Amino acid sequence: MARGNLAMAYDANGFYAEAISTYEEAAFLSPEEFRWPYYMGIVQSEIGDLQAAIQSVDLALNIDPLYAPALLRKSVWLVYEREFERADQSLQILLESDIPIHLRSIGNMARGRALIGMNNPQEAIELLEPLLGGMFDSQVRDPLRTAYRQD
């Protein structure tokens, strides 16, 4: 636990390389604790290493496979990396679980982007249109326009 707390302190103060190596140590010392690989993935994404971030979050998901924030982050990173099929698989797991409505909306937006990347605009439109007029309206318009153009 102490290593994990130290890693969080490094992370909070912008010492990202130190945070990553200390999160690795914390994960090694507490292999049942999902937080350390999850937080390490977040730091890795912040420095732009999305492939490492995805691997780290996969380690966390091996411990807690239905942790919604981890599934969502992983899926968004996979979309950024243009790994649309893997993102879609992860998002389907997320959307089939019992999650709060705001996470469901974010998951549907991410899945819409994955479906657009997989050349499935009609299904993306079906996911994205219900989000218009809600709190994510401005964030859904761009992918929805893309889906309409593909359709």
Side-chain angles (χ1 to χ4, degrees):
M1 185 69 137
R3 295 309 279 176
N5 290 336
L6 177 59
M8 288 190 293
Y10 282 141
D11 181 7
N13 288 288
F15 296 102
Y16 301 125
E18 292 84 354
I20 290 168
S21 64
T22 308
Y23 279 132
E24 285 176 341
E25 293 170 4
F28 177 78
L29 294 170
S30 300
E32 73 290 342
E33 180 60 62
F34 82 93
R35 288 183 300 168
W36 310 138
Y38 175 65
Y39 293 160
M40 181 170 58
I42 294 170
V43 174
Q44 290 165 324
S45 76
E46 289 172 355
I47 63 170
D49 191 352
L50 293 183
Q51 285 300 319
I54 292 164
Q55 290 174 354
S56 294
V57 168
D58 275 340
L59 293 173
L61 288 169
N62 286 335
I63 299 165
D64 188 354
L66 295 178
Y67 185 60
L71 284 166
L72 187 56
R73 284 182 188 272
K74 174 187 171 182
S75 301
V76 169
W77 297 334
L78 287 167
V79 168
Y80 290 154
E81 292 290 293
R82 306 185 62 76
E83 295 185 39
F84 302 117
E85 289 81 10
R86 284 182 63 201
D88 188 50
Q89 291 169 356
S90 186
L91 286 161
Q92 285 182 36
I93 294 168
L94 173 74
L95 293 169
E96 289 170 3
S97 64
D98 184 28
I99 56 174
I101 189 70
H102 70 283
L103 284 181
R104 183 165 303 283
S105 296
I106 295 168
N108 281 333
M109 281 192 306
R111 185 153 190 255
R113 289 182 183 270
L115 290 166
I116 291 166
M118 293 167 34
N119 253 343
N120 192 346
Q122 189 56 45
E123 195 173 345
I125 291 167
E126 291 171 14
L127 279 175
L128 297 172
E129 279 184 339
L131 299 174
L132 286 173
M135 69 186 206
F136 298 108
D137 184 79
S138 63
Q139 296 162 329
V140 77
R141 290 186 179 278
D142 184 50
L144 193 53
R145 277 192 292 270
T146 302
Y148 288 144
R149 281 194 301 267
Q150 277 186 356
D151 194 30

